[in-house]
């Protein structure tokens, strides 16, 4: 068997509820190869009845050949694979937490060939309304590694937004010496949007449309504004009904209604976030967005509409985060650069 | 054929999306008989292919024998039967509107036997976020007829709440001489609750429980408070996630989670309503609740928790409203008391 042309330094797995992405990373964390598989924690491949047979089979498909070609390559994984329903539970670490502390608390599980898989723990913030994340902590670490040096001398407050099924907004106090993850909020915006479109009367008048249709962007922008109006004080349980009535009154067509609801929910999320930030005196110096490109663009527009500045969309945060965590866990030779 | 012992004065139909209730009303609007049928506008009985065959068949089942026994009895109907998808569209009337004006704008459709059915129009409020109702206007009129005289000399501000799939909150300026419906809001709380329980991750840990279980009421009360806390400023898209995390952290069991989410949504609805009322300077002199008993009790608790006073739960508002509308439409002899 011939070795790959470029040596693998790390196998990094982004293993969520409904998908598994396997990165083969080379020197300096450079991406050499990526595989996307449908084997999320809640939908594993058919396998034997032994405990964890589904995880073993998915792992084998994801990177078995890479390990055969280069035995001993370290493996790291983040996401729901470390949950109670995952391969091996990696207990939550408590927020606030120094970011560097996360990499020294990886959980190790060995597969049937004795290969160690280092699993990143999720984070919990205990309060009146507790908050949890799994996987996003890794993206936050990746985003921070791409954030450049803070040469100001004082701690910079970075807000990192991770829009998606459950959006997370993570606060980091960032200095050259240390970064501390101080607080985070969750908004179920993506999942609520899907439930409203698929399982309430709001979805009945909707149609999908090509993204270039003018009414689409118009609908989104119109929805985005609502939370900032006097009527927006009624809150999202009330304002969403206008998706239907603006259809009934002929203002929005089917495609426009779908986009309007998207803008309306994102607008309420960002307006509420701003209220929280103002109440807590936590207004950020800058905002980094991590996630699917089109969705990040919607959130960037929303942040702009509600007066946020210094907004940046970050790429490849997951693989960068897994690389950083492997470094701080000592899985890579110290000669590897951190960026 | 023998006549019924008590003469029918009005056949009153409450005809919604998923059900049809037929009231046989006697002198002074006294209920002589009630039939509940599953034939809503969106689920009519199997019938021929002729236009409106389903409506004809449902109507026949609901009250055909009553009309045969007492031909010429007036018939009135309210609800989605007057919508675009109904038997015959009764165009929306615009708010603000004098309540007495509604009864003089009934739409008439005749069935295949030439029987006239008088359909109550819905209401629309055109604004940035338009609002519509169909059926609730009738309940509002019924509630007002039960509200007693206003002997204060000045206009009383009554807030009428109609909790349900889509909650309506209706503002009425009420004097002895005239009542004016000035404004209303819609909250999709009931439908959102069902969608969240049935089609998001929040429903996964839930269980139904007997209503006497202590954790149930505890969960509801706990949820009710959330919107009033500092964390509640995050809004409902964010706070609902705590349904899951309070389960994960062992604070709420499966039944408690279901009730907590109910309380949380109702609390957000009432807190937002209060904000709107304060912003608009519309705080009511009293609040009347119309709807299913258990649900009205939940809303009464919520209103109390958020500082509302003068709360009353009203019974039989629908049949009282249909009676009042028939009176003001001239369908009944003038000797009938208005109650």
């Amino acid at each position: 068997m011939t070795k790959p042309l470029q040596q693998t330094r790390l196998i990094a797995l982004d293993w969520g509820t409904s998908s598994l992405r396997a990165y083969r990373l080379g020197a300096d964390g450079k991406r050499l190869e990526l595989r996307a598989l449908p084997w999320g924690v809640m939908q594993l491949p058919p396998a034997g009845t032994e405990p964890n047979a589904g995880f073993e089979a998915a792992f084998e498909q994801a990177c078995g050949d890479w390990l055969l070609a280069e035995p001993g390559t370290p493996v790291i994984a983040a996401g729901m694979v470390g949950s109670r329903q995952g391969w091996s539970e990696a207990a939550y670490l408590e927020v606030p937490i120094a970011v560097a502390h996360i990499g020294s608390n990886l959980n190790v599980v060995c597969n049937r060939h004795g290969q160690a898989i280092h699993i990143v723990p999720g984070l919990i913030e205990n309060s009146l309304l507790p908050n949890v994340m799994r996987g996003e902590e890794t993206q936050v670490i990746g985003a921070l590694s791409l954030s450049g040096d803070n040469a100001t001398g004082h701690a910079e407050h970075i807000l990192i937004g991770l829009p998606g099924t459950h959006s997370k907004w993570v606060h980091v106090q960032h200095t050259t010496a240390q970064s501390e993850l101080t607080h985070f909020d969750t908004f179920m915006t993506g999942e609520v949007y899907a439930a409203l479109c698929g399982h309430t009367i709001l979805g009945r008048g909707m149609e999908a449309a090509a993204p270039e249709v003018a009414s689409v962007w118009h609908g989104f922008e119109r929805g985005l504004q609502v939370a900032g109006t006097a009527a927006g004080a009624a809150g999202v349980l009330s304002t969403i009904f206008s998706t239907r009535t603006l259809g009934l009154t002929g203002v929005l067509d089917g495609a426009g209604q779908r986009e309007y609801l998207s803008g309306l929910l994102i607008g309420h999320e960002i307006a509420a976030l701003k209220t929280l930030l103002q109440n807590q005196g936590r207004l950020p110096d800058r905002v980094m967005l991590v996630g699917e490109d089109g969705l990040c663009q919607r959130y960037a527009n929303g942040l702009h509409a509600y007066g946020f500045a210094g907004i940046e969309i970050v790429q490849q945060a997951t693989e960068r985060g897994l690389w950083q965590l492997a470094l701080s866990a000592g899985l890579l030779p110290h000669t590897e650069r951190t960026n």
Side-chain angles (χ1 to χ4, degrees), chain A:
Chain A
M1 178 172 283
T2 55
K3 283 213 171 190
L5 284 176
Q6 291 187 283
Q7 200 197 347
T8 308
R9 300 292 169 88
L10 179 68
I11 294 169
L13 305 179
D14 172 16
W15 203 335
T17 302
S18 55
S19 69
L20 166 58
R21 292 161 74 88
Y23 297 89
R24 188 165 73 82
L25 303 179
D28 298 339
K30 185 176 177 229
R31 185 202 293 183
L32 305 178
E33 201 171 342
L34 166 61
R35 286 179 186 156
L37 300 167
W39 308 133
V41 166
M42 292 298 173
Q43 49 183 40
L44 292 165
T49 55
E50 288 162 61
N52 297 322
F55 289 104
E56 295 274 2
F59 182 78
E60 187 64 30
Q61 284 186 36
C63 58
D65 58 338
W66 294 345
L67 285 165
L68 208 59
E70 296 178 276
T73 305
V75 179
I76 189 168
M80 293 302 281
V81 66
S83 72
R84 208 167 294 167
Q85 294 77 37
W87 195 341
S88 174
E89 188 174 2
Y92 290 114
L93 301 179
E94 283 203 36
V95 167
I97 188 170
V99 169
H101 194 58
I102 300 172
S104 48
N105 280 278
L106 305 189
N107 181 43
V108 180
V109 62
C110 285
N111 82 341
R112 60 188 163 201
H113 304 304
Q115 169 69 45
I117 297 118
H118 301 263
I119 300 182
V120 181
L123 301 181
I124 190 166
E125 185 169 350
N126 277 305
S127 60
L128 180 67
L129 311 180
N131 244 315
V132 294
M133 64 164 77
R134 265 195 202 281
E136 293 92 346
E137 73 296 323
T138 299
Q139 297 177 296
V140 165
I141 290 167
L144 288 172
S145 79
L146 297 164
S147 71
D149 282 341
N150 171 12
T152 61
H154 59 80
E156 190 184 25
H157 177 193
I158 304 181
L159 177 63
I160 302 175
L162 306 107
T165 304
H166 296 179
S167 299
K168 305 285 180 188
W169 293 93
V170 183
H171 298 254
V172 177
Q173 290 292 330
H174 181 57
T175 63
T176 312
Q178 165 167 318
S179 295
E180 186 175 28
L181 199 160
T182 56
H183 173 72
F184 66 99
D185 290 298
T186 303
F187 290 78
M188 288 182 56
T189 309
E191 194 170 11
V192 169
Y193 177 69
L196 293 176
C197 290
H199 304 284
T200 74
I201 198 170
L202 301 185
R204 276 204 211 141
M206 288 182 178
E207 295 158 24
E212 67 271 18
V213 172
S215 66
V216 167
W217 201 243
H218 168 74
F220 179 79
E221 292 287 338
R222 187 183 181 111
L224 203 53
Q225 309 296 331
V226 168
T229 66
V236 75
L237 291 172
S238 177
T239 59
I240 52 173
F241 189 57
S242 62
T243 310
R244 176 165 167 77
T245 57
L246 290 171
L248 282 175
T249 53
V251 175
L252 292 176
D253 63 13
Q257 286 170 54
R258 179 177 289 279
E259 297 303 313
Y260 174 79
L261 183 62
S262 166
L264 192 140
L265 295 186
I266 290 174
H268 272 291
E269 174 179 351
I270 293 173
L273 179 73
K274 191 176 179 185
T275 301
L276 289 177
L277 290 164
Q278 286 170 333
N279 291 351
Q280 301 161 354
R282 287 185 201 251
L283 286 172
D285 298 304
R286 52 193 175 120
V287 187
M288 303 177 86
L289 290 173
V290 176
E292 189 266 313
D293 264 353
L295 191 60
C296 282
Q297 194 54 60
R298 283 173 187 247
Y299 275 80
N301 287 14
L303 288 163
H304 185 74
Y306 284 88
F308 286 82
I311 305 155
E312 182 191 354
I313 298 176
V314 176
Q315 309 291 336
Q316 303 189 329
T318 306
E319 61 199 272
R320 299 306 311 167
L322 287 163
W323 178 258
Q324 289 299 320
L325 283 160
L327 266 176
S328 68
L331 301 180
L332 301 172
H334 285 296
T335 52
E336 288 289 353
R337 290 181 45 221
T338 59
N339 202 342

mmCIF file of all heavy atoms in Angstrom, chain A residues 176-195:
data_model
loop_
_atom_site.group_PDB
_atom_site.id
_atom_site.type_symbol
_atom_site.label_atom_id
_atom_site.label_comp_id
_atom_site.label_asym_id
_atom_site.label_seq_id
_atom_site.Cartn_x
_atom_site.Cartn_y
_atom_site.Cartn_z
ATOM 1 N N THR A 176 -4.311 38.521 24.364
ATOM 2 C CA THR A 176 -3.264 37.721 23.715
ATOM 3 C C THR A 176 -2.913 36.534 24.596
ATOM 4 O O THR A 176 -2.663 35.424 24.120
ATOM 5 C CB THR A 176 -2.006 38.586 23.467
ATOM 6 O OG1 THR A 176 -2.432 39.799 22.859
ATOM 7 C CG2 THR A 176 -1.032 37.879 22.558
ATOM 8 N N ALA A 177 -2.921 36.755 25.905
ATOM 9 C CA ALA A 177 -2.497 35.703 26.829
ATOM 10 C C ALA A 177 -3.559 34.619 27.002
ATOM 11 O O ALA A 177 -3.249 33.431 27.080
ATOM 12 C CB ALA A 177 -2.168 36.322 28.191
ATOM 13 N N GLN A 178 -4.801 34.994 27.058
ATOM 14 C CA GLN A 178 -5.843 34.013 27.398
ATOM 15 C C GLN A 178 -7.194 34.480 26.882
ATOM 16 O O GLN A 178 -7.488 35.669 26.846
ATOM 17 C CB GLN A 178 -5.910 33.846 28.927
ATOM 18 C CG GLN A 178 -7.183 33.152 29.387
ATOM 19 C CD GLN A 178 -7.120 32.710 30.837
ATOM 20 O OE1 GLN A 178 -6.114 32.193 31.296
ATOM 21 N NE2 GLN A 178 -8.202 32.910 31.565
ATOM 22 N N SER A 179 -8.042 33.525 26.547
ATOM 23 C CA SER A 179 -9.417 33.840 26.179
ATOM 24 C C SER A 179 -10.335 33.122 27.143
ATOM 25 O O SER A 179 -10.126 31.951 27.450
ATOM 26 C CB SER A 179 -9.706 33.368 24.756
ATOM 27 O OG SER A 179 -8.920 34.089 23.844
ATOM 28 N N GLU A 180 -11.341 33.857 27.607
ATOM 29 C CA GLU A 180 -12.296 33.239 28.518
ATOM 30 C C GLU A 180 -13.690 33.271 27.900
ATOM 31 O O GLU A 180 -14.154 34.311 27.424
ATOM 32 C CB GLU A 180 -12.312 33.959 29.865
ATOM 33 C CG GLU A 180 -13.197 33.216 30.860
ATOM 34 C CD GLU A 180 -13.159 33.806 32.264
ATOM 35 O OE1 GLU A 180 -12.912 35.018 32.377
ATOM 36 O OE2 GLU A 180 -13.392 33.045 33.224
ATOM 37 N N LEU A 181 -14.357 32.104 27.911
ATOM 38 C CA LEU A 181 -15.728 32.014 27.428
ATOM 39 C C LEU A 181 -16.619 32.308 28.640
ATOM 40 O O LEU A 181 -16.651 31.536 29.607
ATOM 41 C CB LEU A 181 -15.941 30.605 26.867
ATOM 42 C CG LEU A 181 -17.114 30.390 25.921
ATOM 43 C CD1 LEU A 181 -16.900 29.134 25.095
ATOM 44 C CD2 LEU A 181 -18.402 30.313 26.679
ATOM 45 N N THR A 182 -17.301 33.454 28.614
ATOM 46 C CA THR A 182 -17.949 33.951 29.835
ATOM 47 C C THR A 182 -19.445 33.659 29.922
ATOM 48 O O THR A 182 -20.007 33.580 31.017
ATOM 49 C CB THR A 182 -17.773 35.481 29.943
ATOM 50 O OG1 THR A 182 -18.292 36.080 28.754
ATOM 51 C CG2 THR A 182 -16.310 35.844 30.113
ATOM 52 N N HIS A 183 -20.116 33.503 28.780
ATOM 53 C CA HIS A 183 -21.586 33.385 28.787
ATOM 54 C C HIS A 183 -22.045 32.986 27.399
ATOM 55 O O HIS A 183 -21.392 33.301 26.408
ATOM 56 C CB HIS A 183 -22.196 34.743 29.175
ATOM 57 C CG HIS A 183 -23.683 34.811 29.057
ATOM 58 N ND1 HIS A 183 -24.532 34.161 29.919
ATOM 59 C CD2 HIS A 183 -24.477 35.446 28.148
ATOM 60 C CE1 HIS A 183 -25.790 34.403 29.562
ATOM 61 N NE2 HIS A 183 -25.782 35.175 28.499
ATOM 62 N N PHE A 184 -23.175 32.272 27.329
ATOM 63 C CA PHE A 184 -23.770 32.061 26.004
ATOM 64 C C PHE A 184 -25.280 31.913 26.099
ATOM 65 O O PHE A 184 -25.823 31.563 27.145
ATOM 66 C CB PHE A 184 -23.140 30.864 25.277
ATOM 67 C CG PHE A 184 -23.393 29.519 25.900
ATOM 68 C CD1 PHE A 184 -24.400 28.682 25.399
ATOM 69 C CD2 PHE A 184 -22.631 29.056 26.966
ATOM 70 C CE1 PHE A 184 -24.628 27.424 25.945
ATOM 71 C CE2 PHE A 184 -22.850 27.805 27.528
ATOM 72 C CZ PHE A 184 -23.854 26.993 27.016
ATOM 73 N N ASP A 185 -25.944 32.222 24.996
ATOM 74 C CA ASP A 185 -27.400 32.084 24.878
ATOM 75 C C ASP A 185 -27.736 31.163 23.714
ATOM 76 O O ASP A 185 -26.965 31.046 22.761
ATOM 77 C CB ASP A 185 -28.045 33.458 24.620
ATOM 78 C CG ASP A 185 -27.986 34.353 25.829
ATOM 79 O OD1 ASP A 185 -28.575 33.988 26.857
ATOM 80 O OD2 ASP A 185 -27.326 35.407 25.764
ATOM 81 N N THR A 186 -28.886 30.533 23.799
ATOM 82 C CA THR A 186 -29.390 29.678 22.721
ATOM 83 C C THR A 186 -30.706 30.254 22.203
ATOM 84 O O THR A 186 -31.542 30.689 23.003
ATOM 85 C CB THR A 186 -29.658 28.252 23.242
ATOM 86 O OG1 THR A 186 -28.457 27.731 23.806
ATOM 87 C CG2 THR A 186 -30.142 27.333 22.127
ATOM 88 N N PHE A 187 -30.891 30.242 20.909
ATOM 89 C CA PHE A 187 -32.181 30.569 20.290
ATOM 90 C C PHE A 187 -32.546 29.416 19.362
ATOM 91 O O PHE A 187 -31.745 29.031 18.520
ATOM 92 C CB PHE A 187 -32.098 31.872 19.476
ATOM 93 C CG PHE A 187 -31.948 33.110 20.316
ATOM 94 C CD1 PHE A 187 -30.720 33.441 20.863
ATOM 95 C CD2 PHE A 187 -33.029 33.941 20.564
ATOM 96 C CE1 PHE A 187 -30.565 34.588 21.641
ATOM 97 C CE2 PHE A 187 -32.891 35.088 21.337
ATOM 98 C CZ PHE A 187 -31.654 35.414 21.877
ATOM 99 N N MET A 188 -33.760 28.880 19.523
ATOM 100 C CA MET A 188 -34.170 27.724 18.716
ATOM 101 C C MET A 188 -34.760 28.149 17.365
ATOM 102 O O MET A 188 -35.652 27.492 16.820
ATOM 103 C CB MET A 188 -35.178 26.882 19.497
ATOM 104 C CG MET A 188 -34.534 26.122 20.650
ATOM 105 S SD MET A 188 -35.729 25.070 21.543
ATOM 106 C CE MET A 188 -36.382 24.043 20.219
ATOM 107 N N THR A 189 -34.246 29.238 16.830
ATOM 108 C CA THR A 189 -34.853 29.878 15.661
ATOM 109 C C THR A 189 -35.005 28.947 14.458
ATOM 110 O O THR A 189 -36.070 28.887 13.839
ATOM 111 C CB THR A 189 -34.020 31.115 15.294
ATOM 112 O OG1 THR A 189 -33.863 31.896 16.488
ATOM 113 C CG2 THR A 189 -34.685 31.946 14.230
ATOM 114 N N GLY A 190 -33.954 28.214 14.124
ATOM 115 C CA GLY A 190 -34.015 27.347 12.947
ATOM 116 C C GLY A 190 -35.049 26.243 13.107
ATOM 117 O O GLY A 190 -35.824 25.960 12.190
ATOM 118 N N GLU A 191 -35.091 25.633 14.284
ATOM 119 C CA GLU A 191 -36.035 24.541 14.501
ATOM 120 C C GLU A 191 -37.476 25.064 14.585
ATOM 121 O O GLU A 191 -38.403 24.428 14.087
ATOM 122 C CB GLU A 191 -35.668 23.765 15.776
ATOM 123 C CG GLU A 191 -36.406 22.441 15.839
ATOM 124 C CD GLU A 191 -35.927 21.511 16.940
ATOM 125 O OE1 GLU A 191 -35.143 21.948 17.812
ATOM 126 O OE2 GLU A 191 -36.354 20.340 16.926
ATOM 127 N N VAL A 192 -37.653 26.229 15.196
ATOM 128 C CA VAL A 192 -38.994 26.828 15.267
ATOM 129 C C VAL A 192 -39.471 27.198 13.859
ATOM 130 O O VAL A 192 -40.631 26.940 13.494
ATOM 131 C CB VAL A 192 -38.998 28.068 16.188
ATOM 132 C CG1 VAL A 192 -40.311 28.840 16.056
ATOM 133 C CG2 VAL A 192 -38.775 27.647 17.640
ATOM 134 N N TYR A 193 -38.575 27.743 13.057
ATOM 135 C CA TYR A 193 -38.936 28.090 11.670
ATOM 136 C C TYR A 193 -39.431 26.853 10.920
ATOM 137 O O TYR A 193 -40.483 26.886 10.263
ATOM 138 C CB TYR A 193 -37.717 28.705 10.971
ATOM 139 C CG TYR A 193 -37.923 29.035 9.515
ATOM 140 C CD1 TYR A 193 -38.779 30.059 9.134
ATOM 141 C CD2 TYR A 193 -37.258 28.324 8.515
ATOM 142 C CE1 TYR A 193 -38.970 30.371 7.792
ATOM 143 C CE2 TYR A 193 -37.444 28.628 7.173
ATOM 144 C CZ TYR A 193 -38.303 29.654 6.820
ATOM 145 O OH TYR A 193 -38.487 29.955 5.489
ATOM 146 N N ALA A 194 -38.704 25.764 11.039
ATOM 147 C CA ALA A 194 -39.095 24.530 10.337
ATOM 148 C C ALA A 194 -40.440 24.017 10.854
ATOM 149 O O ALA A 194 -41.296 23.588 10.075
ATOM 150 C CB ALA A 194 -38.011 23.467 10.519
ATOM 151 N N ALA A 195 -40.649 24.067 12.170
ATOM 152 C CA ALA A 195 -41.919 23.583 12.740
ATOM 153 C C ALA A 195 -43.087 24.472 12.303
ATOM 154 O O ALA A 195 -44.178 23.974 12.008
ATOM 155 C CB ALA A 195 -41.824 23.534 14.270
#
